[in-house]
Amino acid sequence: MSGIVSTLVEAWDELRIHKLRVLLALIGVAVAVTAITGITAAVQMMNQAFREQAERYNGRDVTLMATAYQRWSGDMVATTSTTPDPAVFEAAYTRVVEQYGIEHWSRVGWGQAPFRFPTGTQMVQLQVVDPAFGVINRFQTTDGRWFADSDVERLAPAVVVNETFWKALGEPALDTHPTIVLGGPTPVRAEVIGVYASSWDQEPPAAYALTDHVNRWTASNEGYGPPELRMWVPPEMAEELQPLITRDLMALLPGYDVNVYPNEYYNALDSATKWVVLGVGGFALLLGGLRLVNIALVTVRHRIREIGIRRSFGATSGRVFFGVLMESVVATVVAGLVGVVIAVAIIKNIPVERVFGGGIEDMPPFPLSAAMIGMACATGVGALAGLIPATVAVRVKVIDAIRY
């Protein structure tokens, strides 16, 4: 152990003596390690941003989606009523999610409803969901809030609207509890509790409402059709639950065909892009290593007499080889450490909102693997850069070295 420590100390002393020679090469190594470490961490952050964006449309990984379709007989006449009973679906869905212990689930339906704006009544695209939809789809509001579980029991319905809807309403402050009348056979006044960003500039007014509230407004679910069921399940259980839930819903919904499928897998970032960018950083690291090789060879040439004297006093070839090799390794390890620290500082201060165009809800920590990759690359380049000079130092004959 003392031999290893003494070799490291000796290598560090030699670097201090020749610091001006190796400084330029070490700057290149530090910059390359910063690039490799920072890119590895940025790729993980970008993956998280892309994944969250996809989950806002398709649900979290893994979301099982169950859809029910009326079964038709041979003469193209439906075997059940054309108007589905909301209570039947509510009972079937509730029984299934309770049976399998699914915590986050939501019914999802689509339709249109008349809203009485100050400029007149207008048909609005209405998506009917449960409070857990916000968790499953990472729903974000720009103002106000999403539905809470307690909103299900409120007597007056609540809606979460897009910015186009909110502007058509006159952009009222949500802390004033603005309301709007839903027309139709049974008009009802609903409170606007949240606003979300419109998907595009010319998007028409749209809104979300709770399934239980919609079922109270109308005598039937006419216009909305059978609701879809979304269930957020652990990825390792998705494949097992899919046929079981299909079987149970088929039994609980006679006259309907049921299809249960997972949300599509989203490849957040093509791995080829990652390797291309890392390849550029690796090439820069290789250039820094070549500079270090040249400088180390020059240094060994100037130390030939010193090496011969050490050999004459009993230093083994292994000790000389290891000592020269460790000079390059210690240098690149120090440069790699500096590069990792710089990369951490840069990644921690990235303006996420500006770079990714939206906030990351679950900000990933700086990946330890990125720091390990950077340090491993720096150490590897140092070992390769010191291998040739160390071999040259060992092959020098003692007598010739002393005469040099």
Side-chain angles (χ1 to χ4, degrees), residues 9 39 89 122 135 179 184-185 265 304 309 340 362-363 367 370:
V9 173
I39 289 169
F89 286 93
Q122 183 177 348
V135 176
T179 61
Y265 172 73
I304 289 294
I309 294 174
V340 169
D362 297 332
M363 179 68 71

Side-chain angles (χ1 to χ4, degrees), residues 12-50:
W12 178 251
D13 289 338
E14 290 294 336
L15 290 174
R16 292 175 59 190
I17 295 173
H18 304 286
K19 58 184 177 181
L20 293 180
R21 295 180 180 178
V22 300
L23 182 59
L24 185 59
L26 293 184
I27 290 176
V29 172
V31 171
V33 171
T34 300
I36 291 177
T37 306
I39 289 169
T40 304
V43 165
Q44 180 171 340
M45 185 178 294
M46 193 178 301
N47 265 324
Q48 182 66 20
F50 288 169

Side-chain angles (χ1 to χ4, degrees), residues 68-133:
Y69 303 93
Q70 287 183 318
R71 189 178 301 127
W72 295 83
S73 61
D75 56 357
M76 299 298 294
V77 177
T79 58
T80 60
S81 172
T82 57
T83 302
D85 186 358
V88 173
F89 286 93
E90 179 180 0
Y93 291 164
T94 302
R95 180 172 176 178
V96 166
V97 297
E98 290 179 352
Q99 178 179 349
Y100 295 104
I102 299 173
E103 181 179 357
H104 300 289
W105 62 279
S106 173
R107 293 162 291 178
V108 181
W110 293 267
Q112 287 187 331
F115 283 82
R116 299 181 184 178
F117 293 96
T119 56
T121 302
Q122 183 177 348
M123 296 298 295
V124 172
Q125 184 71 34
L126 189 65
Q127 193 163 346
V128 185
V129 297
D130 290 304
F133 179 88

Side-chain angles (χ1 to χ4, degrees), residues 14 17 83 112 158 228 243 246 251 301 305 314 318 377 387 398 404:
E14 290 294 336
I17 295 173
T83 302
Q112 287 187 331
E228 176 186 271
T246 303
R301 289 294 183 184
R305 184 177 179 82
C377 291
L387 187 61
V398 178
Y404 187 81

